[in-house]
Amino acid sequence: MVATRGLFFVSLFALALGKPMARSMKLHESREGIPEGFSLRGAAQPEQTIKLRLALVQSNFAELERKLMDVSTPSSANYGKHLSKAEVQQLVAPTQDSVDAVKSWLKENDISAKTISATGDWLSFEVPVSKANELFDADFSIYTHDETGTEAVRTLSYSIPAELQGHLDLVHPTVTFPNPRGLPPVFTAPIKAEAQNLTSRATIPSSCARTITPACLQAIYNIPSTPATESSNKLAVTGFIEQFANKADLKTFLTRFRTDISSSTSFTLQTLDGGSNPQSSSEAGVEANLDIQYTVGVATGVPTVFISVGEDFQDGDLEGFLDVVNSLLDEDTPPFVMTTSYGQNENTISRNLANNLCNAYAQLGARGVSILFASGDGGVAGSQSASCSKFVPTFPSGCPFMTSVGATQGFSPETAADFSSGGFSNYFAIPDYQTSAVSGYIKALGNTNSGKYNATGRGFPDIATQGVNFEVVVGGQSGTVEGTSCSSPTLASIISLLNDRLIAAGKSPLGFLNPFLYSTGTSALNDITSGSNPGCNTNGFPAKAGWDPVTGLGTPDFNKLLSAVGL
Ligand SMILES: *[C@@H]1O[C@H](CO)[C@@H](O)[C@H](O)[C@H]1NC(C)=O
Ligand SMILES: *[C@@H]1O[C@H](CO)[C@@H](O)[C@H](O)[C@H]1NC(C)=O
């Protein structure tokens, strides 16, 4: 007893002597070390300014999640009854207490912050590094990405005043490191050699064994070529890191591969953070052109918008991800499908930031938007192939409120593409909608890869499409590309064409897809049962009957999907 009391007094005394005026600070987020591939270069200049963002705690996310599942589950009476912008905002806007607590702390510190989201849950401000270190008990330093030389000012931990706990969700950028490379597709030369004839179905052009074009996807997945009719049914393609979508290349692509539609069919542009879409042929981006050519060129007649996110207010994709989702949440009539072919390894992102973004996808899902992301191109090694001892899940594929798209190749049979990222999140627990599908797989897998993946995490991808040998036109040149970057726009086109039929029939668009895909939608997919995604010195996960962490539940069949959605 005496000893305990003695210790108690000693610690109080130390506290009192230390910093009489200081508030009590609580460690808020930290990371175990510098992420692989980065090195510490040195302290950041104290007078250098940094842009910080604060996220306030959202008031009632649990109820938002409940409503999201309710409107997205086919067996629910409320299926398709998506929420309005006001209904979503009311559920998640931070409480007045949180707003007041954060604002009065900012005021005490002479900081004027800008609100950067419609619900008021994100604020931003600029301060010198010295002040940021003081405000958050942080150690902002310069880190360099070894391979690309990309520099970032980050800290390995930060604290917040005790009275802001429960009000302040996170400070960014702090412990989240940037993604130096995104998820670019691999641009390869046109394949000249005569490929073997893999055609088994008479309707699939034999050329599809060598290169994939819109006609191949239409044949393989029974996608209609007839134009969509509903102008409210927008499809959004996001673009980052100065990847520009070129209109002349799109025209060339359509002239060659969609002779049945007008070659002047195009897309509209939306910009954010000083984004632009310059049209000189040398600035055409492989990723952006791929994404636009396989949406405008496959989702026939669907109004497609290219959202080009600039670099005014970001030093990585994640700020861009945040700005896109916040901007769409602020729209009264957001696009019904959004496809993104960028992502990064989950372990580079703080849990709080991952959660915050994931919750934003849930909000858009509740509004009736299908959120699609490419799963990554490194097999079980993550977004890109890399050395690893444990499997590396990608973000945002580990988020349970979006749809992760993996890749396949061939069609006789259709097989998993070996780069298709898949696995299990370390941040997000397995959602109810997939427990039965995933536990079946883990059981069938037995001891293979045990200890290398998190068997309680959310499994991804959810679904897959072709992702190898896609014909694209970039800067006037034809070539083929591969990657899950091919798959996400392909699926986006299919979902948009389904939405067109649904809306024309007076029904709601599909919205958040997973509860449908894992229930009444499963039988409308082609199960992929061969191939695997090697990485980390293993053979990766094998594709198997049912769901697997390479191709998800399988690939889409438009006709079967039409009947699965009741058309
Ligand atoms: C490839 O298969 C298709 C469809 O069965 C057939 O029409 C075509 O003649 C074949 N081509 C070659 C080179 O074998
Ligand atoms: C495994 O995933 C769960 C979420 O389901 C998470 O809470 C846990 O921390 C993860 N384990 C590791 C070692 O990352």
Side-chain angles (χ1 to χ4, degrees), residues 194 197-202 204 206:
E194 256 325 294
N197 194 349
L198 297 174
T199 309
S200 60
R201 282 191 256 169
I204 300 178
S206 59

Side-chain angles (χ1 to χ4, degrees), residues 351 425-430 454 456-457:
R351 278 178 192 258
S425 172
N426 287 316
Y427 285 7
F428 299 97
I430 188 162
N454 189 334
T456 66

Side-chain angles (χ1 to χ4, degrees), residues 116-149:
I116 55 169
S117 68
T119 37
D121 58 342
W122 277 97
L123 305 174
S124 82
F125 59 87
E126 282 188 42
V127 283
V129 162
S130 55
K131 176 116 182 177
N133 282 336
E134 186 192 307
L135 285 171
F136 300 111
D137 266 359
D139 181 17
F140 281 99
S141 305
I142 302 172
Y143 294 90
T144 317
H145 184 250
D146 304 330
E147 200 186 308
T148 58

Side-chain angles (χ1 to χ4, degrees), residues 107-188:
K107 193 157 177 246
E108 270 171 49
N109 287 286
D110 274 331
I111 295 167
S112 62
K114 236 183 13 211
T115 302
I116 55 169
S117 68
T119 37
D121 58 342
W122 277 97
L123 305 174
S124 82
F125 59 87
E126 282 188 42
V127 283
V129 162
S130 55
K131 176 116 182 177
N133 282 336
E134 186 192 307
L135 285 171
F136 300 111
D137 266 359
D139 181 17
F140 281 99
S141 305
I142 302 172
Y143 294 90
T144 317
H145 184 250
D146 304 330
E147 200 186 308
T148 58
T150 307
E151 282 190 355
V153 174
R154 293 292 188 275
T155 177
L156 298 184
S157 72
Y158 70 95
S159 301
I160 64 171
E163 71 269 22
L164 292 187
Q165 282 185 309
H167 299 304
L168 183 56
D169 181 16
L170 70 108
V171 184
H172 177 78
T174 50
V175 298
T176 293
F177 278 61
N179 183 27
R181 289 186 300 184
L183 267 186
V186 182
F187 195 31
T188 57

